[in-house]
Amino acid sequence: MGMDMEVTELLTFPALLALLVFVLSVPFITKFVKTRKHPNLNLPPGSLGWPVIGETFEFLRRGYEGEPELFIRERMEKYDSRVFKTSLLGEPMIMFCGAAGNKFLFSNENKDVQVWWPTSVRKLLRSSLVTKVGYEAKTMRKLLMSFLNPEALKNYLAKMDTVACCHITNHWQGKEDVLVYPTVKLYAFELACCLFASIEDAILVFKLSPQFDEFLKGVISFPINLPGTRFHRAMKAADAIREELKLIIKKRRVDLEEKRASPTQDLLSYLLVTSDSSGRFLTEKEIIDNILLLLFAGHDTSRSVITSVIQYLGRMPHVYEQVLEEQLEISKGKEAGQLLQWEDIQKMKYLWNVASEVMRLSPPVTGSYREALNNFTYAGYTIPKGWKLSWSTSSSHKDPAFFPDPDHFDASRFEGAGPTPFSYAPFGGGPRMCLGQEFARLEILVFMHNIVKRFKWWLLIPNEKFLHDPMLKPSKGLSIRLQPLQI
Ligand code: HEM
Ligand SMILES: *[C@@H]1O[C@H](CO)[C@@H](O)[C@H](O)[C@H]1NC(C)=O
């Protein structure tokens, strides 16, 4: 997700860097030479940049400046607005642009293309869904969906609301100023611990949290497993979390057997008691790796959206007022202390339109990857088998053909039928679309409901920049001043 990697850190180890560049270069240079060897192939236009590095630094620079879409837009203008070639992460890569590009990639899964993730992701998340394709992926997705579908998630709404209320009481109530991004992290992490593995013991949460941070930092990084690299620390952290999960699983199996745990109490129970359509249960390794995957995929993404929504509402009082009105209407019908119900969530239409418009303008994820399964033609160009392909959220989200006056915030774009299919893709699309969309929707709505009805806020740095690292995040953490509301 996103294509960032740790550059600054590598540069602090010059000797290591030299060694790594050497070790790394051999396969990449071979690949590079091979890719350039097809002068008579009608490849999409574009530049492969420098050997090995390709255009990675240019891409990273745009991301750090908070404008990853410029990298893509510049090349769409220079080469072809439909598709161009570049080289990122040591891989020659073809960028599919706009809604048509999304449509092509999302509709051709398992035909001309299939999902692909950078090496660091695959090495850290081993036997999880991200390394599976075809039939295996389909059955594993179905299993994970047994916990993540709306019907199942209904049962966890009360827990989400409780975690959100506790979080606000502990970290927001009585504070004058809050640094939003690190604070919302606590909510996202506590929620994941609670719903994925019923880890509610504060000491264990506290112990896992820094390990989890190390892990997250390395998921998208240069996959070099040598002491001192981000990737190495992430591998070690992942192993420590795996050990912890192993102990939890061991205890859970006994508890399930002796009916002290419920088979539907959390994701872990689901994965232990549910088999796929052929009767196969996930192995312990697969369960652990999938829990790690969901922790990774669901953490910084939702947190990024919540933080962006807080910034947009701080900037646009009229939108805040309208959100507040909707949320107070929902609270009015409830007794003091009564938790949110499923029907309440369905009434948060305006709030979700606002969040959707925020994800259009500030998508947390820049895009994802596919791989060509065959030689095929797209827009008149040859796409060779084995090449890595990518799509981007920004190239269609800011297309005036689908979103008139594209830089203008307008939540009403999501009323009625909403955007044209494939023009809006914060969660990707097709058979490999995000599995956590409904989970994220609930997580965001429940949090915003609780914050909006308790506080008004001001942005202490009014136009704070957001940048990609690799998910979109505020460059200074988003400081706000709180004013409690009397309700
Ligand atoms: C606002 C929050 C989120 C955004 C914007 C987001 C976005 C994405 C995107 C763009 C992809 C790639 C889709 C593709 O290649 O077509 C993806 C994949 C995925 N997401 Fe999310 N995501 C979010 C939250 C979550 C949450 C909360 C979870 C889990 C609880 C989750 C689990 C996953 C998984 C498992 C995949 C891989 C699916 C597969 O390979 O089949 N995501 N997400
Ligand atoms: C794909 O195209 C290349 C270059 O023209 C050719 O060498 C190769 O045999 C083709 N592969 C398939 C599977 O058609």
Side-chain angles (χ1 to χ4, degrees), residues 38 40-41 373-375 382-385:
H38 297 295
N40 43 8
L41 271 188
L373 287 175
N374 310 304
N375 294 334
T382 306
I383 313 291
K385 177 178 173 172

Side-chain angles (χ1 to χ4, degrees), residues 19-299:
L19 175 70
L20 297 182
V21 166
F22 176 73
V23 174
L24 263 177
S25 304
V26 180
F28 288 144
I29 287 182
T30 324
K31 189 182 292 168
F32 185 77
V33 171
K34 264 202 222 150
T35 10
R36 301 216 162 180
K37 250 191 358 200
H38 297 295
N40 43 8
L41 271 188
N42 179 27
L43 293 172
S47 161
L48 295 178
W50 297 89
V52 186
I53 319 169
E55 297 194 295
T56 306
F57 286 118
E58 180 63 12
F59 184 85
L60 288 182
R61 187 170 68 78
R62 289 306 195 186
Y64 283 128
E65 287 168 2
E67 297 177 306
E69 71 260 30
L70 284 188
F71 177 88
I72 292 166
R73 218 182 298 154
E74 278 165 6
R75 282 161 185 74
M76 286 169 70
E77 276 164 24
K78 193 161 159 198
Y79 302 120
D80 190 315
S81 62
R82 300 166 299 176
V83 62
F84 63 84
K85 70 171 176 293
T86 174
S87 171
L88 298 172
L89 299 168
E91 298 280 352
M93 199 170 281
I94 294 171
M95 271 282 173
F96 285 64
C97 306
N102 295 349
K103 180 174 179 179
F104 181 84
L105 292 183
F106 298 158
S107 335
N108 276 291
E109 184 74 23
N110 299 326
K111 294 173 204 152
D112 281 331
V113 308
Q114 78 185 13
V115 83
W116 178 82
W117 290 100
T119 313
S120 55
V121 176
R122 282 175 291 134
K123 285 200 169 161
L124 273 162
L125 299 170
R126 294 178 194 168
S127 63
S128 75
L129 173 64
V130 287
T131 62
K132 312 276 181 199
V133 293
Y135 176 75
E136 239 189 320
K138 204 172 144 188
T139 48
M140 196 176 269
R141 276 181 68 100
K142 221 165 143 192
L143 251 177
L144 293 172
M145 265 325 246
S146 67
F147 171 78
L148 291 170
N149 72 46
E151 225 24 66
L153 287 174
K154 257 185 200 179
N155 305 320
Y156 301 100
L157 183 58
K159 260 193 181 176
M160 276 194 183
D161 199 14
T162 310
V163 172
C165 289
C166 282
H167 168 80
I168 290 169
T169 309
N170 290 337
H171 302 284
W172 296 65
Q173 211 88 52
K175 299 257 162 79
E176 192 181 359
D177 296 344
V178 167
L179 195 57
V180 176
Y181 192 66
T183 309
V184 171
K185 173 203 160 59
L186 302 172
Y187 165 66
F189 190 62
E190 280 163 19
L191 194 64
C193 283
C194 167
L195 294 189
F196 292 174
S198 305
I199 303 173
E200 281 160 39
D201 172 9
I203 296 170
L204 185 53
V205 173
F206 191 74
K207 182 174 154 200
L208 286 177
S209 175
Q211 286 169 344
F212 178 63
D213 288 344
E214 289 289 352
F215 161 69
L216 275 188
K217 277 192 214 147
V219 178
I220 294 177
S221 66
F222 251 119
I224 306 149
N225 198 0
L226 286 179
T229 60
R230 256 194 195 202
F231 182 68
H232 182 75
R233 285 200 296 272
M235 288 289 266
K236 278 177 63 180
D239 284 342
I241 302 172
R242 283 192 174 94
E243 286 308 315
E244 216 53 74
L245 287 173
K246 257 187 216 157
L247 293 179
I248 294 172
I249 290 179
K250 202 166 158 203
K251 177 161 186 309
R252 179 65 60 84
R253 283 195 203 274
V254 177
D255 287 352
L256 281 169
E257 194 115 318
E258 295 173 0
K259 309 256 183 296
R260 266 177 312 198
S262 127
T264 58
Q265 78 179 55
D266 56 15
L267 172 70
L268 178 58
S269 271
Y270 261 93
L271 296 184
L272 284 171
V273 303
T274 317
S275 61
D276 66 21
S277 41
S278 67
R280 187 180 90 91
F281 288 86
L282 293 184
T283 64
E284 184 166 301
K285 278 203 174 74
E286 286 171 330
I287 292 180
I288 290 175
D289 289 339
N290 277 307
I291 292 181
L292 275 176
L293 164 63
L294 296 195
L295 281 170
F296 159 66
H299 192 269

